[in-house]
């Protein structure tokens, strides 16, 4: 073996992987633009960047004593951080490489080839239905070439074989349009396959150029730049590329002992899950699938182990967002009682808060419907809890939107009542502080929804971000939210209403009313003495404190009390000039504290009326 070209050691492999990961991350927008398979939702680059970013922040951020230790960390972090179809396949490839090579102190040509072959087999086995013309085909071509190079190697040096295998991977990438008609029609190569080649090219740059490759600031042009879409332009896509019956791209991390991969795959396929990827080993699996109900996938996984890291993206909404030319994207969180028709009309992205019921965590509205939440709330012994989304949930949405919008505005839940806004701010700072802005509404429920609606309305009209923010600042003190709790035990137990209010309500028959204050908190503001006529009394209470000369937008919310909500809205119509009004079921963000039977009203002046 040549003394001048030793086998690959842990420090060299670590630096090579850093160079490869950075190259993919730098080129993620180009990958997003060419993403047409399995769904044209424009996020393959972001998913691969997130997957490899988990390595940069984990295994690759610290030194390892030998190859096996490094690769084990890489494999575990890849599974934990995998996102999307291509990200999960890449994670399984890396996990398989690590599984084979974890006992190796260094890598020569034969060991590297065998490890890559094992990884290629694992990546293919992770899919329920492997498809050629994808990242799988390129990984396989790379493994074949390494096998051939290892057999011909005289000194065991893996570097010459890697260079020849990279050339074969590039050729396999160029052939992907010949293997899939959807790629040929779009005039592109497969985005996941391109990402894998980008990773290899970054590694090759380190091998050829040493540490200078670690300072890479951009990636080379994608193999298909100039074909199909122009630079910086989104590819035209068709709605039928997303199956509306499987519109949710859902993922979770499943932890356990001796996890039965085949039994889980059978159960998920029985649910109708498509694009299934099960990446990982016996103790941890990253599960990815396209389903009609994210919770069905999470529940199926929960029967085999502990479910963590849930996420669900509406691919149909993503695709429509890509197709619609608009400079500013608006995001809110699921604490907003946003009517579905408004969310769809104005393409408002919604980041779900977390809901915990009887020891299980759920994604609000995406994983657990509001109606199901109240059903479980009524049957459960413990008080439901809500928690803020992790910053990664916001960053995933911000990065996706920033890929085809010039700017992104997150209109969020009051900072004073939740850490949700702070999570959004952290994500914005890590995405692009110049392109992603955050606005604290000081409101919740319908009030939050009204402000998000107005922002999205202005964005759809092409109004610039700074003007949108100025309008939100103007409307913020004019947007009011009231809540009437028929049963305040949940609010008292949750600390939203002081303990002394409980006995007072029981002794007097007073139904308390709370209002969002100027400081962004919900505080008791009064009450009404009414039982059967509580909705009408609540409407009267609000009308006495609201201008009759003003025209209003209104969102009326109810907590599992639709009939009362309808009565309340009708009573408000008789007392106030409601130009636009919606009745919605209030979500867990307030429902967990207000309790079943609670009613909410949010009002905002009609645009141009003040």
């Amino acid at each position: 073996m040549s003394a001048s070209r030793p086998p690959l050691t842990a420090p060299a492999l670590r630096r090579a992987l850093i160079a490869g990961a950075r190259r993919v991350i730098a080129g993620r927008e180009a990958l997003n633009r060419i993403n047409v398979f399995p769904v044209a939702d424009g996020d393959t680059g972001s998913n691969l960047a997130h997957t490899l970013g988990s390595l940069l922040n984990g295994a690759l951020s610290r030194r390892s004593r030998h190859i096996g230790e490094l690769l084990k960390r890489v494999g575990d972090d890849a599974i934990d951080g995998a996102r999307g179809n291509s990200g999960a396949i890449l994670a399984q490839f890396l996990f398989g490489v690590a599984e084979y090579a974890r006992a190796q102190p260094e890598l020569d040509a034969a060991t590297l080839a065998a490890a890559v072959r094992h990884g290629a087999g694992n990546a293919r086995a992770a899919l329920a239905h492997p498809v050629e013309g994808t990242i799988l085909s390129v990984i396989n071509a790379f493994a074949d070439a390494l096998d051939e190079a290892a057999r011909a190697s005289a000194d065991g040096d893996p570097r010459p074989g890697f260079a020849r295998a990279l050339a074969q991977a590039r050729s396999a990438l160029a052939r992907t349009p010949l293997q899939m008609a959807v790629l040929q029609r779009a005039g592109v190569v497969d985005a996941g396959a391109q990402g894998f080649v980008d990773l290899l090219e970054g590694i090759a740059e380190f091998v050829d150029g040493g540490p200078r490759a670690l300072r890479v600031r951009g990636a080379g042009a994608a193999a298909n730049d100039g074909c199909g879409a122009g630079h910086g332009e989104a590819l035209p896509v068709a709605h039928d590329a997303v199956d509306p019956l499987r519109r949710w791209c859902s993922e979770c991390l499943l932890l356990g002992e001796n996890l039965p991969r085949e039994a889980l795959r059978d159960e998920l396929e029985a649910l109708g899950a498509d694009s299934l990827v099960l990446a990982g080993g016996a103790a941890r699996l990253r599960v990815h699938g396209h389903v009609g109900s994210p919770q069905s996938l999470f529940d199926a996984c929960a029967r085999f182990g502990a479910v963590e890291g849930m996420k669900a993206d509406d691919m149909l909404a993503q695709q429509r967002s890509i197709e619609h030319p608009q400079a500013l994207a608006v995001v809110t969180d699921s604490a907003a009682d946003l009517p579905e028709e408004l969310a769809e009309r104005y393409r408002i992205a919604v980041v779900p808060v977390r809901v915990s019921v009887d020891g299980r965590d759920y994604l609000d509205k995406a994983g657990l419907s509001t109606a199901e939440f109240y059903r479980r709330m009524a049957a459960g012994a413990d008080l439901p809890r809500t928690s803020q989304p992790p910053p990664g949930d916001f960053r995933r949405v911000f990065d996706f939107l920033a890929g085809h919008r010039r700017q992104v505005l997150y209109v969020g839940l009051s900072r004073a009542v939740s850490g949700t806004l702070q999570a959004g701010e952290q994500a914005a700072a890590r995405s692009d502080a110049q392109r992603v802005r955050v606005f604290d509404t000081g409101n919740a429920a319908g009030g939050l929804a009204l402000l998000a609606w107005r922002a999205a309305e202005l964005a759809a009209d092409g109004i610039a971000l700074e003007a949108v923010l100025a309008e939100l600042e103007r409307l913020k003190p004019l947007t009011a939210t009231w809540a009437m709790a028929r049963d305040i035990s949940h609010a008292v137990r949750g600390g939203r209403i002081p303990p002394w209010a409980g006995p007072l309500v029981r002794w007097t028959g007073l139904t308390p009313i709370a209002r969002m204050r100027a400081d962004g908190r919900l505080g008791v503001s009064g009450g009404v003495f009414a039982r059967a006529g509580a909705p009408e009394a609540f409407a009267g209470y609000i009308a006495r404190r609201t201008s009759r000369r003003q025209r209003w937008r209104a969102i009326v919310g109810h907590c599992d009390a639709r009939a009362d909500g309808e009565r309340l809205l009708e009573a408000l119509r008789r007392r106030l000039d409601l130009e636009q009004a919606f009745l919605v079921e209030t979500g867990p963000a307030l429902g967990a504290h207000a309790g079943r039977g609670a009613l909410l009203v949010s009002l905002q002046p009609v645009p141009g009326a003040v």
Side-chain angles (χ1 to χ4, degrees):
M1 187 175 294
S2 171
S4 62
R5 301 301 299 270
L8 195 59
T9 61
L13 177 60
R14 171 176 168 266
R15 292 193 292 270
L17 288 172
I18 290 172
R22 288 182 177 176
R23 183 178 178 87
V24 174
I25 291 169
R28 63 184 176 186
E29 290 191 9
L31 297 178
N32 286 337
R33 290 198 298 271
I34 65 172
N35 172 204
V36 298
F37 181 84
V39 175
D41 51 1
D43 64 357
T44 289
S46 296
N47 289 338
L48 288 173
H50 183 276
T51 303
L52 292 168
S54 69
L55 302 187
L56 291 177
N57 295 324
L60 301 180
S61 68
R62 56 191 186 275
R63 295 174 181 170
S64 298
R65 292 170 296 178
H66 55 76
I67 288 282
E69 179 183 70
L70 172 63
L71 287 176
K72 184 180 185 307
R73 290 175 176 172
V74 165
D76 288 345
D77 286 351
I79 294 300
D80 289 354
R83 178 190 292 170
N85 190 284
S86 293
I89 295 170
L90 177 61
Q92 184 65 4
F93 168 75
L94 294 172
F95 186 87
V97 171
E99 190 174 53
Y100 183 89
R102 60 189 173 193
Q104 308 300 320
E106 55 188 26
L107 290 181
D108 59 14
T111 305
L112 176 62
V116 168
R117 170 61 61 198
H118 188 74
N122 273 20
R124 186 169 293 271
L127 274 76
H129 303 288
V131 176
E132 297 305 326
T134 65
I135 186 174
L136 289 177
S137 301
V138 176
I139 289 175
N140 201 61
F142 179 65
D144 288 346
L146 279 181
D147 283 341
E148 183 179 346
R151 289 192 295 270
S153 176
D155 60 3
D157 184 358
R159 297 166 182 83
F162 183 91
R164 290 195 292 272
L166 172 56
Q168 289 300 312
R170 289 175 176 142
S171 297
L173 172 66
R175 289 194 299 271
T176 58
L178 303 178
Q179 296 171 286
M180 278 202 293
V182 64
L183 299 178
Q184 194 167 40
R185 287 196 301 270
V188 298
V189 297
D190 180 67
Q194 176 71 68
F196 183 71
V197 170
D198 287 348
L199 175 68
L200 298 180
E201 289 179 338
I203 292 172
E205 285 181 359
F206 174 80
V207 172
D208 294 339
R212 70 178 177 81
L214 298 180
R215 298 189 293 272
V216 66
R217 288 293 180 268
N224 43 265
D225 271 359
C227 301
H231 294 280
E233 298 174 0
L235 286 168
V237 291
H239 282 140
D240 59 7
V242 175
D243 182 351
L245 299 179
R246 298 180 180 88
R247 66 189 292 174
W248 291 97
C249 178
S250 306
E251 289 181 0
C252 66
L253 182 65
L254 180 61
L255 306 177
E257 296 181 3
N258 299 317
L259 294 171
R261 183 192 299 266
E262 294 306 320
L264 175 59
R265 175 175 291 161
D266 289 345
E267 184 151 345
L268 293 175
E269 287 195 313
L271 293 174
D274 194 13
S275 297
L276 269 180
V277 183
L278 305 183
R284 58 201 313 116
L285 280 175
R286 171 63 64 176
V287 180
H288 168 279
H290 297 171
V291 292
S293 166
Q295 196 57 45
S296 65
L297 183 143
F298 302 146
D299 285 344
C301 290
R303 289 190 279 275
F304 293 88
V307 174
E308 295 183 358
M310 298 177 295
K311 76 96 172 168
D313 293 330
D314 186 339
M315 297 181 293
L316 193 57
Q318 288 180 329
Q319 191 180 56
R320 288 169 175 165
S321 177
I322 292 171
E323 290 178 329
H324 188 79
Q326 184 174 303
L328 176 62
V330 174
V331 180
T332 190
D333 53 71
S334 66
D337 283 345
L338 185 66
E340 187 173 338
E341 63 182 273
L342 294 180
E344 291 190 0
R345 182 189 309 168
Y346 294 106
R347 291 164 292 280
I348 303 172
V350 180
V351 177
V353 302
R354 297 298 200 271
V355 184
S356 179
V357 183
D358 291 337
R360 283 280 308 279
D361 288 338
Y362 301 90
L363 299 178
D364 178 26
K365 298 176 184 174
L368 182 70
S369 71
T370 303
E372 179 64 11
F373 163 76
Y374 287 116
R375 189 191 70 76
R376 297 192 187 191
M377 183 178 183
D382 298 326
L383 181 69
R385 297 189 306 274
T386 58
S387 60
Q388 67 201 49
D393 283 9
F394 282 101
R395 191 176 181 191
R396 185 174 72 250
V397 174
F398 293 165
D399 287 353
F400 167 75
L401 292 171
H404 57 280
R405 296 283 189 268
R406 286 201 295 273
Q407 292 177 303
V408 178
L409 174 61
Y410 164 47
V411 181
L413 175 63
S414 171
R415 182 191 307 275
V417 300
S418 170
T420 300
L421 192 87
Q422 289 90 320
E425 288 174 331
Q426 292 174 30
R430 294 188 63 186
S431 295
D432 186 339
Q434 299 302 313
R435 297 179 64 192
V436 182
R437 302 284 289 276
V438 175
F439 181 79
D440 180 359
T441 64
N443 221 307
L448 169 56
L450 287 167
L451 287 162
W453 172 14
R454 182 57 180 149
E457 190 175 47
L458 292 170
D461 288 339
I463 305 302
L465 174 60
E466 295 303 327
V468 174
L469 288 169
E471 173 69 352
L472 293 183
E473 288 288 359
R474 184 187 72 84
L475 285 174
K476 182 174 176 178
L478 303 177
T479 303
T481 295
W482 291 268
M484 183 177 72
R486 313 289 287 277
D487 175 6
I488 70 167
S489 60
H490 288 287
V492 172
R493 290 169 63 191
R496 303 287 175 170
I497 291 180
W500 56 260
L504 176 64
V505 169
R506 288 194 298 271
W507 294 337
T508 65
L510 178 72
T511 301
I513 295 174
R515 179 172 178 168
M516 294 297 300
R517 304 183 311 220
D519 64 0
R521 298 182 183 275
L522 191 66
V524 176
S525 62
V528 293
F529 292 97
R531 295 295 189 188
E536 291 75 15
F538 188 24
Y541 177 94
I542 293 171
R544 289 191 294 272
R545 292 158 177 80
T546 304
S547 171
R548 304 290 184 94
R549 295 187 297 274
Q550 176 69 58
R551 289 182 292 120
W552 299 97
R553 284 179 166 178
I555 293 180
V556 173
H558 67 89
C559 298
D560 197 27
R562 183 173 185 84
D564 282 352
E566 291 171 344
R567 288 169 54 191
L568 172 59
L569 178 55
E570 179 58 31
L572 285 170
R573 289 188 188 278
R574 292 196 299 267
R575 292 167 171 82
L576 298 173
D577 184 0
L578 302 185
E579 182 170 297
Q580 296 166 291
F582 296 88
L583 177 66
V584 300
E585 191 164 31
T586 291
L590 258 68
H593 307 288
R596 298 171 68 233
L599 299 172
L600 295 90
V601 173
S602 296
L603 296 174
Q604 183 183 88
V606 169
V610 292

